Structure formats: C-alpha cells, structure tokens
C-alpha cells in the first residue's frame, strides 16, 4: 500500500514537472515566433524613412518597435532555457516547431503574408504531433546534485556516444568539408546536428545546476558545473558557425526541415542515453512519442515549403534550438552583405 502511494506521488510529481516544462516551451515558442513579426514591423517602419537593413542601414536600432521585438525574443529564449530544467529534451526540443506556427499566423494578419491552405494543414499537424508528444512524454528522474549529472555524462554508453560524435564531426570537418561541403548539404547539417545534440545535453546540465542552486543546494563550487558551462559555450559557437555555412551555401527551405529532423532525432537519442528518458516506459508510449515527432516533422516540412520568401531582415541573438537559429541567422546573413564574415567564423 505504501509502495503504491509512493509510486502515485512520484507520477504526480513527474507530471507536474513535465507540465511546467511544456508550458515554458510553449511560452518560449509564442514569444520567439511573435518576436520575428514585431521586429519585422519595426524594420519596415525604419526602412520607410531611411536605408533598409538589407542595404546596410541601421536605422532600425532607433526604432522602439524593433527593440520590443528584441526583448520579446530574449524572454522567449530564457523561457526555453528554463524549460530544460523541468522537462526532458524529448518533450522540450520538438515543441520548438510551434514558433513557426506563431510566426506564420501572425504574419498572415499583421504582415499580409498569405497563409496557404497547405500551410494551415502544416500548423494542424504540428499541433497534433505536439499533443501526442506531450501526452506520452516520459518523466524525468530527480537529480540532487551536478555530480549526479556528471555520473550520467561519464557512463560508458554516453561516453561511447560522445566519442562517436566527436569522431564523426572531425571526419566531416577535416575530410568531408574541404571536398564536399559546397555540394553535399549533409556535411554542414551533420556537423550542426551532432554538435547541437551535445549543446542541449550541456545546456540541460547547466539548467539543472541553476535550478538546484535556486532551491538552496549551491552547485557553483563544483568544477563539473563549469565544465558543462564551457562545453555549452563551445558547442553553441561551433554549431552556429556551421549552421551559418549551411545557410550561406544552400536554400533555407531545404536546410530547415533536414536540420530540424536530424537535430531533434539526435537530441532525443542523446537524451535517452544520458538521462535514460525511456527507462520504465512502455513500448506504446515510446512509439506514440516517436509518431508525434514524425507528425511534427511533417507539419514543419509543409509549413516551410509553403512559406513565402522573406524580403526583410531581423537581427538578434541566436538560440540553441534549430528552428530559431535558422530563422535568425538567415535574416542576418541575407541582409548584411557588406560584412565579410557575417555571423560565421569561416572565410
């Protein structure tokens, strides 16, 4: 009887944490999706009375509407970061696709960018897939210190994944990039996606450390906390660098769905190994989550294939989420041709 009661409490606590993560992820997508629209409105207003951003103008920096959009994006990024403190990556990461729905719907009403019937279908598929993921997402084990996270990160299974990821990335960078980088889209996207999965793992570790610190168990003195911080920074810089190369070389409508699919798949796989997300889950729950992800991916693909090309620019800061990175970095690159390096560290 006591064991049954304890199990029930554990399930309720897990559901509560997942619900917090879900709400934060949705709020994040809402803020980030709307931020692109608000900033574009600011850019249009600034461009009407001066040099447009795509021509090298910076008049938008004096436009309050653009700054409102920028603040909105920052709030969304913070909400996304906090979401990883409460819910597993398998729940939070796919929900980033909802930002596309928000921006598409708002663009239809405020920017007069027509949302086609197939685009509406894409929105519906994203919502249905996200619902499936939320209903069947696994609970997360309770962690009480960053040392426990370190043990998870140094277990043989995850070390094998880490070594394999690094080896593949080195092969892609040192051998494949010079030979096939300009012709094969999977070179740059492969690097971004593999590094991106490690980015999310380290970001989640840092988020949990911050959460524990806020709850009264300071993790600042643990060297593992700072190792995760340094890994997160290194991975984010590398990821953005090669994402930028992919966007400079290939069409965004091709890059975005492939990147989203590979990044999210590898992130779910890495999280399942490191945090054992699927431990104790039934086969039906696992299949339901995977089906939900496939439905979201299909909706994302349809949405991107029906979106009109965006002639305006938005500049801001990048997230570690693929959809948000793609929209942001593409905006910057398309409309700052006078900069020799743009956002990337490449030649």
């Amino acid at each position: 009887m006591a064991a049954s009661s304890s199990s029930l409490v554990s399930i309720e606590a897990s559901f509560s944490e997942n619900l917090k993560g879900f709400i934060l992820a949705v709020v994040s997508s809402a803020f980030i999706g709307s931020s692109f629209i608000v900033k574009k409105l600011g850019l249009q207003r600034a461009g009407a009375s001066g040099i447009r951003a795509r021509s090298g103008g910076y008049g938008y920096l004096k436009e309050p509407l653009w700054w409102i959009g920028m603040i909105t994006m920052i709030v969304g990024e913070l909400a996304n970061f906090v979401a990883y403190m409460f819910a597993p990556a398998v729940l939070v990461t796919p929900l980033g696709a909802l930002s596309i729905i928000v921006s598409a719907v708002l663009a239809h009403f405020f920017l007069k960018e027509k949302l086609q019937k197939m685009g509406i279908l894409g929105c519906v598929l994203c919502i249905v897939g996200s619902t499936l993921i939320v209903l069947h997402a696994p609970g997360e084990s309770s962690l009480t210190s960053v040392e426990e996270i370190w043990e998870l990160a140094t277990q043989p299974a995850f070390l094998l994944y880490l070594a394999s990821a690094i080896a593949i990335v080195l092969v892609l960078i040192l051998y494949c990039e010079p030979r096939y980088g300009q012709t094969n889209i999977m070179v740059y996207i492969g690097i971004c996606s593999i590094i991106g999965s490690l980015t999310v793992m380290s970001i989640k570790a840092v988020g949990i450390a911050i959460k524990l610190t806020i709850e009264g168990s300071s993790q600042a003195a643990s060297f593992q906390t700072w190792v995760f911080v340094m890994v997160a920074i290194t991975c984010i810089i590398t990821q953005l660098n090669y994402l930028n190369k992919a966007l400079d070389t290939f069409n965004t409508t091709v890059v975005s769905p492939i990147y989203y699919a590979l990044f999210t798949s590898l992130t779910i796989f890495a999280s399942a190994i490191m945090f054992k997300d699927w431990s104790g889950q039934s086969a039906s729950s696992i299949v339901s989550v995977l089906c939900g992800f496939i439905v979201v991916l299909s909706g994302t693909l349809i949405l991107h294939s029906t979106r009109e090309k965006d002639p305006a620019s938005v500049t801001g800061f990048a997230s570690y989420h693929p959809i948000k990175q793609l929209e942001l970095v593409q905006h910057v690159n398309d409309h700052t041709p006078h900069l020799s390096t743009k956002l990337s560290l490449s030649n």
Side-chain angles (χ1 to χ4, degrees):
M1 187 71 175
S4 176
S5 176
S6 176
S7 177
L8 182 61
V9 170
S10 177
I11 292 173
E12 290 178 350
S14 177
F15 176 79
S16 176
E17 294 287 280
N18 276 4
L19 182 60
K20 292 176 184 177
F22 165 72
I23 293 173
L24 286 165
V26 172
V27 169
S28 169
S29 293
F31 272 85
I32 291 173
S34 61
S35 73
F36 288 108
I37 306 304
V38 176
K39 287 196 286 184
K40 183 171 179 178
L41 289 170
L43 286 164
Q44 290 178 341
R45 184 180 295 180
S49 57
I51 301 175
R52 297 185 69 89
R54 63 170 175 260
S55 301
Y58 291 95
Y60 60 84
L61 294 176
K62 299 178 182 179
E63 176 55 52
L65 198 58
W66 185 87
W67 283 106
I68 291 174
M70 189 64 195
I71 293 171
T72 302
M73 172 173 277
I74 292 173
V75 172
E77 295 291 354
L78 290 175
N80 193 56
F81 175 76
V82 177
Y84 280 106
M85 297 183 188
F86 296 100
V90 66
L91 171 61
V92 177
T93 305
L95 292 178
L98 296 179
S99 63
I100 303 176
I101 297 178
V102 175
S103 61
V105 172
L106 291 180
H108 177 79
F109 290 104
F110 293 99
L111 300 177
K112 308 306 178 184
E113 296 178 0
K114 188 176 180 181
L115 182 61
Q116 302 175 17
K117 291 182 178 179
M118 288 300 291
I120 296 175
L121 174 61
C123 291
V124 172
L125 287 175
C126 285
I127 293 172
V128 171
S130 298
T131 302
L132 274 174
I133 292 172
V134 171
L135 291 176
H136 299 280
E140 194 165 42
S141 58
S142 179
L143 299 169
T144 58
S145 70
V146 75
E147 285 79 8
E148 289 185 28
I149 307 174
W150 184 261
E151 289 179 7
L152 295 175
T154 54
Q155 61 183 307
F158 189 75
L159 287 178
L160 178 60
Y161 176 83
L162 179 62
S164 301
I166 293 174
I168 294 172
V169 166
L170 288 176
V171 170
L172 289 173
I173 292 175
L174 299 177
Y175 179 80
C176 297
E177 183 186 358
R179 294 169 175 80
Y180 313 112
Q182 299 300 309
T183 57
N184 192 324
I185 193 173
M186 294 307 297
V187 174
Y188 291 141
I189 291 182
I191 296 171
C192 293
S193 301
I194 294 171
I195 294 297
S197 68
L198 301 179
T199 300
V200 173
M201 296 305 101
S202 55
I203 284 290
K204 185 168 180 61
V206 173
I208 293 174
I210 293 175
K211 178 186 174 184
L212 292 172
T213 300
I214 293 174
E215 291 175 349
S217 177
S218 178
Q219 305 297 309
S222 300
F223 83 93
Q224 292 96 333
T225 300
W226 301 105
V227 171
F228 284 128
V229 169
M230 294 306 299
V231 170
I233 293 173
T234 302
C235 287
I236 289 172
I237 292 173
T238 305
Q239 187 180 359
L240 289 178
N241 177 31
Y242 284 95
L243 172 60
N244 189 64
K245 290 185 179 184
L247 291 171
D248 276 346
T249 309
F250 304 99
N251 192 300
T252 309
T253 57
V254 178
V255 172
S256 184
I258 297 175
Y259 182 34
Y260 175 78
L262 192 56
F263 170 87
T264 308
S265 299
L266 289 173
T267 298
I268 291 173
F269 183 59
S271 183
I273 296 173
M274 180 171 171
F275 292 101
K276 305 184 186 302
D277 291 334
W278 303 114
S279 179
Q281 295 294 304
S282 65
S284 61
S285 294
I286 296 174
V287 171
S288 297
V289 170
L290 294 178
C291 287
F293 168 58
I294 293 172
V295 173
V296 171
L297 174 60
S298 301
T300 303
L301 180 61
I302 292 173
L303 268 173
H304 273 282
S305 65
T306 58
R307 286 185 72 176
E308 298 176 1
K309 289 190 178 295
D310 184 7
S313 134
V314 187
T315 57
F317 82 57
S319 153
Y320 39 82
H321 193 281
I323 297 296
K324 300 156 191 173
Q325 289 173 339
L326 283 161
E327 293 192 11
L328 177 58
V329 178
Q330 183 64 50
H331 283 316
V332 176
N333 285 353
D334 284 349
H335 310 301
T336 54
H338 58 292
L339 295 178
S340 59
T341 57
K342 300 183 182 178
L343 282 177
S344 75
L345 306 177
S346 59
N347 293 331

